[in-house]
């Protein structure tokens, strides 16, 4: 009976066990997971663009090989995540259409342009660092396919974070101009990185329910704090200043106090008015249209195979 199914679902969540695709789940749970996983997948795919912008300008063969591997990893992450979303009964084609028509979101962070080579290092350090903070707890998400996809993704994100930091260390040990480039880039990426964690808890409509369902394990503000605490010593080691006059150690809390991100900027960026939103979506739409012949050919091939199997 429906009541029994719901009871079983609640018991699985309460026992901190996984919900699998064939299990009954409340419609709202399914919808919220599709929303989050699709947004996550879109972020990985759109996230290839700001870095792709530097592939042909990487300063050495070694840096180019690393960057290429990283951008390819992101395509792979997008694929795992679309596959995880498909276990919930949606179609990847449909999700891509929704992205292109701005009916589904992707992370605010990828709407900022990459203006200098240091941005590539800073994205690895701050953006992938923030992604790890946010994503490691998702390895314990209540939905099995999403949790399992996150394990591999997090391993690769750690490599991305390390490569970014290592490339910044090289610049920090370089010339004065290189150190200035790292500082300038840090100034631009710091606040957008803090916004990646989403609105403050009081303004986050989804957090409470997602935590009750074991989709999210921490609130947006908890993860933002964890990220700040982790990053401050890394900034010191690099010799850069984080652009926040309110940033200081709070002995009582055993954590850093920090300033408030500009939430009006965040709202503008997630509603399509960020510095690179139009460019990102236009590029994604063009790539999708240019790939139409591949999808058609794959479909024709599959139809032919099916007809042959029937004959
Ligand atoms: N960029 C774009 N949209 C955002 C962002 C952001 N940084 N933060 C929050 N939002 C959106 C939410 O999707 C939600 O919109 P919706 O209801 O239309 O879907 C709205 O703002 C309100 O936010 P919350 O209620 O806090 O939403 P939620 O509980 O889903 O938390 C979060 C947002 C933390 C991003 C969560 O969805 C999450 O952990 N997602 C998985 C990680 C992810 O997507 N990472 C992508 C970037 S990292 C990378 O790819 C390298």
């Amino acid at each position: 009976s429906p009541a029994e199914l719901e009871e079983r679902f609640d018991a699985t969540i309460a026992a901190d066990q996984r919900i699998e695709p064939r299990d009954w789940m409340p419609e709202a749970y399914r919808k919220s997971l599709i929303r989050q996983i699709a947004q996550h997948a879109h972020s990985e795919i759109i996230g290839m663009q700001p870095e792709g912008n530097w592939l042909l300008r990487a300063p050495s063969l070694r840096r180019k090989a690393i960057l290429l591997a990283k951008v390819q990893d992101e395509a792979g992450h997008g694929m795992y995540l679309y596959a995880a979303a498909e276990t919930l009964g949606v179609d990847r084609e449909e999700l891509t259409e929704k992205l292109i028509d701005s009916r589904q979101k992707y992370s605010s962070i990828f709407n900022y342009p990459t203006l200098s080579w240091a941005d590539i290092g800073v994205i690895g350090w701050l953006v992938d660092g923030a992604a790890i903070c946010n994503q490691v707890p998702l390895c314990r998400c209540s939905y099995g396919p999403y949790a399992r996809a996150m394990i591999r993704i997090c391993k690769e994100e750690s490599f991305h974070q390390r490569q970014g930091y290592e490339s910044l260390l090289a610049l920090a040990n370089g010339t004065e101009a290189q150190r200035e480039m790292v500082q300038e880039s840090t100034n631009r990426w710091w606040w957008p990185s803090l916004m990646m964690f989403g609105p403050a808890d009081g303004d986050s409509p989804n957090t409470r329910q997602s935590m009750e369902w074991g989709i999210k394990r921490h609130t947006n503000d908890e993860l933002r704090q964890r990220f700040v605490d982790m990053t401050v010593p890394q900034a010191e080691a690099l010799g850069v200043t984080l652009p926040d006059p309110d940033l200081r150690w709070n002995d009582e809390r055993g954590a850093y106090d920090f300033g408030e991100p500009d939430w009006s900027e965040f709202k503008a960026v997630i509603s399509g008015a960020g510095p690179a939103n139009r460019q990102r979506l236009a590029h994604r739409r063009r790539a999708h249209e240019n790939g139409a012949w591949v999808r058609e050919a794959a479909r024709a091939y599959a139809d032919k195979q099916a007809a042959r199997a029937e004959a």
Side-chain angles (χ1 to χ4, degrees):
S1 75
E4 274 168 10
L5 289 171
E6 187 148 6
E7 226 168 80
R8 196 175 312 151
F9 173 86
D10 290 345
T12 306
I13 297 287
D16 209 4
Q17 286 174 348
R18 301 287 162 268
I19 304 294
E20 295 298 337
R22 272 181 229 149
D23 295 339
W24 181 88
M25 60 188 85
E27 231 8 75
Y29 176 82
R30 182 189 303 276
K31 265 180 100 170
S32 197
L33 273 171
I34 293 172
R35 176 186 66 78
Q36 178 167 328
I37 301 173
Q39 174 180 310
H40 195 167
H42 299 328
S43 303
E44 299 283 356
I45 298 298
I46 296 282
M48 295 165 77
Q49 291 184 41
E51 297 183 313
N53 183 32
W54 281 88
L55 278 175
L56 298 181
R57 291 182 286 170
S60 69
L61 178 62
R62 178 171 170 267
R63 294 290 173 203
K64 180 170 176 161
I66 295 171
L67 185 57
L68 196 55
K70 178 179 193 272
V71 173
Q72 285 175 336
D73 283 351
E74 273 143 21
H77 297 174
M79 296 304 123
Y80 312 151
L81 288 164
Y82 284 128
E86 284 188 317
T87 66
L88 292 160
V90 287
D91 185 65
R92 196 166 105 195
E93 182 79 20
E94 174 196 329
L95 298 179
T96 300
E97 296 291 338
K98 285 189 173 159
L99 167 67
I100 289 173
D101 297 343
S102 301
R103 282 179 289 147
Q104 279 176 344
K105 296 189 173 79
Y106 59 90
S107 181
S108 52
I109 193 74
F110 302 118
N111 292 305
Y112 293 86
T114 41
L115 304 178
S116 74
W117 169 251
D119 286 6
I120 298 303
V122 167
I123 287 178
W125 172 39
L126 296 180
V127 174
D128 297 326
I132 292 168
C133 258
N134 165 269
Q135 292 175 19
V136 165
L138 293 175
C139 298
R140 292 185 291 114
C141 165
S142 60
Y143 187 59
Y146 190 29
R148 288 188 290 274
M150 290 318 299
I151 293 173
R152 178 153 172 197
I153 292 177
C154 284
K155 286 188 180 151
E156 293 178 349
E157 292 293 354
S158 302
F159 152 67
H160 296 173
Q161 202 269 350
R162 297 296 303 195
Q163 70 78 35
Y165 196 71
E166 193 266 347
S167 123
L168 293 180
L169 277 177
L171 293 174
N173 290 316
T175 64
E176 194 47 41
Q178 285 173 319
R179 275 188 291 278
E180 277 169 20
M181 183 165 66
V182 175
Q183 182 62 59
E184 189 275 333
S185 173
T186 304
N187 292 348
R188 277 183 290 112
W189 289 93
W190 174 248
W191 292 107
S193 298
L194 291 187
M195 293 176 197
M196 287 174 69
F197 294 92
D201 291 352
D203 295 319
S204 163
N206 299 300
T207 294
R208 196 188 54 81
Q209 183 58 265
S210 286
M211 288 188 54
E212 280 176 14
W213 277 331
I215 296 174
K216 285 170 85 161
R217 298 290 179 171
H218 305 280
T219 71
N220 299 354
D221 284 333
E222 282 166 8
L223 293 173
R224 198 170 3 252
Q225 178 75 58
R226 187 179 288 187
F227 172 70
V228 170
D229 292 344
M230 178 182 99
T231 307
V232 171
Q234 297 170 350
E236 282 165 6
L238 268 181
V240 296
T241 308
L242 297 172
D244 178 356
D246 298 324
L247 185 67
R248 69 180 59 83
W249 179 253
N250 181 327
D251 228 356
E252 250 166 62
R253 292 200 307 123
Y256 284 92
D257 289 338
F258 57 98
E260 195 71 25
D262 178 353
W263 294 116
S264 62
E265 175 181 319
F266 173 74
K267 281 184 194 133
V269 173
I270 68 171
S271 54
N277 293 59
R278 283 176 57 183
Q279 182 188 335
R280 299 285 183 250
L281 273 185
H283 187 85
R284 183 69 195 87
R285 187 174 301 120
R286 204 159 51 235
H288 188 63
E289 284 162 6
N290 289 342
W293 70 273
V294 179
R295 293 188 294 280
E296 275 161 33
R299 214 168 287 134
Y301 180 76
D303 289 348
K304 208 187 271 179
Q305 293 298 97
R308 209 169 278 165
E310 256 171 47

